[in-house]
Amino acid sequence: MKQPQFGALPEGKRLEMVKKSPHYKNGKFRNFIEKPTISDGYSFTGEIWKALTKKYPHTEPVDVLPSIKTNLKTIPADRNVIVWFGHSSFFLQLDGVKILVDPIFSGNASPLPGSVKAYKGSDIYTAADMPEIDYMLLSHDHYDHLDYETVKALQPKVKHVICGLGAGAHYEKWGYSPQQIVEKDWGDKTQIKPGFAIYAESTHHDGGRNFTSSQALWLSFFIQSPTMNIYYSGDGGYTDRFKKIAEKYPSVDWAIMECGQYNKAWQSVHELPEEVALAATELKAKNLLPVHHSKFTLAKHPWDEPLKQITALSKAKPYRLATPMIGELVDLNDSSQVFKQWWKDVK
């Protein structure tokens, strides 16, 4: 547990800051609505037993996933774009500000080397491919969102990190300066420049990289620029928070939503596809980009089920569904851009 990839727990002044949060109670961060992680009718031991003894079909692709290697360093500064890297990692350029979210480029989503490997073709980007980053956002400190090797390699390129209270301990241990780290509670605002702000908002999830859980707060983000508003859900089960986000921020141009690695047994902390479609509708989002799929197997559904399900569920919905390939340039201002159902050709 002393290996660097496990990160660090908040201590000293950081721990005192954590303890002042109204969401930190009895030694850990809490969700607004406390409920069991395991759903009624299921058990933790039962799910472990099924994982060890039951075979689940097609949980990862046989083929190499199709992808596009976009040169992020040559994208004109006046273009508003997203480039998705698989799972929940993506690059966002908005009104000239470069943002990198939950990057993981090491090919592994676990502290144990080679145990949760990226699918073939899904890991074509590296830290070296990233341009200078104004803000790197962290939704929470689980290994499939906070990757030690990636974060360590990116440190010279990143001006600021925005993360939940307590998570700064990881970055500081890994060589980031206190000036680079911005820790936020739910509802806090980071002013980027006039007319441009990033708000840390809630989600229903948890956190932890070792045996002591929930010591770093989990976040969603609302990014408000002079020309566009973008909401990133982070990980979390369905609650009424999406209606509240819509009331607080009346215009959501793009919703980037977790859709994958779900199971009815842990539905409280990961949304099912039908809940993703409902949440996007409640957000009154104009566009939906589903993430948290197509890179790692962390649940037992077929690897392409999230894409199939959300495509079917999004028919006749008020939002437009965007399903880019890994690395494909998504033009945020082009409502006519067409996306292929690329997973249909992958075995």
Side-chain angles (χ1 to χ4, degrees), residues 55-68:
K55 289 187 177 181
Y56 294 86
H58 206 41
T59 56
E60 62 182 68
V62 176
D63 293 344
V64 176
L65 295 188
S67 60
I68 298 171

Side-chain angles (χ1 to χ4, degrees), residues 1-200:
M1 296 306 296
K2 293 183 179 180
Q3 295 296 312
Q5 64 266 32
F6 292 103
L9 296 174
E11 57 184 23
K13 291 183 179 180
R14 176 171 284 113
L15 180 57
E16 291 306 310
M17 178 175 63
V18 162
K19 288 179 176 179
K20 291 177 182 177
S21 170
H23 310 115
Y24 189 85
K25 302 172 185 176
N26 299 322
K28 61 170 57 179
F29 283 106
R30 309 279 176 164
N31 288 303
F32 276 127
I33 303 170
E34 296 201 41
K35 52 186 175 180
T37 298
I38 299 297
S39 306
D40 287 344
Y42 298 86
S43 70
F44 181 76
T45 53
E47 292 308 302
I48 293 292
W49 179 251
K50 283 193 285 187
L52 293 173
T53 61
K54 186 176 179 180
K55 289 187 177 181
Y56 294 86
H58 206 41
T59 56
E60 62 182 68
V62 176
D63 293 344
V64 176
L65 295 188
S67 60
I68 298 171
K69 190 66 177 287
T70 297
N71 189 337
L72 306 178
K73 298 175 182 178
T74 60
I75 299 171
D78 61 351
R79 289 196 68 184
N80 292 337
V81 302
I82 286 176
V83 178
W84 172 63
F85 305 123
H87 204 60
S88 293
S89 304
F90 60 93
F91 170 77
L92 167 65
Q93 183 172 278
L94 186 59
D95 292 335
V97 178
K98 292 178 171 63
I99 297 170
L100 183 61
V101 180
D102 289 354
I104 175 166
F105 303 134
S106 70
N108 193 55
S110 163
L112 304 176
S115 58
V116 184
K117 295 192 291 186
Y119 302 156
K120 291 178 289 186
S122 72
D123 210 35
I124 63 169
Y125 286 86
T126 69
D129 296 318
M130 298 300 110
E132 296 292 316
I133 300 298
D134 296 305
Y135 288 87
M136 185 162 67
L137 309 187
L138 174 69
S139 63
H140 64 295
D141 68 351
H142 284 160
Y143 291 99
D144 58 319
H145 293 258
L146 178 59
D147 180 56
Y148 164 67
E149 289 185 24
T150 301
V151 165
K152 186 74 176 172
L154 285 169
Q155 190 270 335
K157 294 185 173 186
V158 173
K159 295 178 184 177
H160 302 283
V161 175
I162 302 178
C163 58
L165 291 175
H170 303 308
Y171 291 96
E172 198 162 321
K173 181 173 182 176
W174 298 338
Y176 282 64
S177 70
Q179 292 74 30
Q180 285 179 284
I181 303 167
V182 181
E183 293 177 73
K184 292 295 184 182
D185 204 342
W186 293 339
D188 286 350
K189 174 183 179 181
T190 303
Q191 191 70 47
I192 307 305
K193 60 182 182 180
F196 199 127
I198 298 177
Y199 296 84

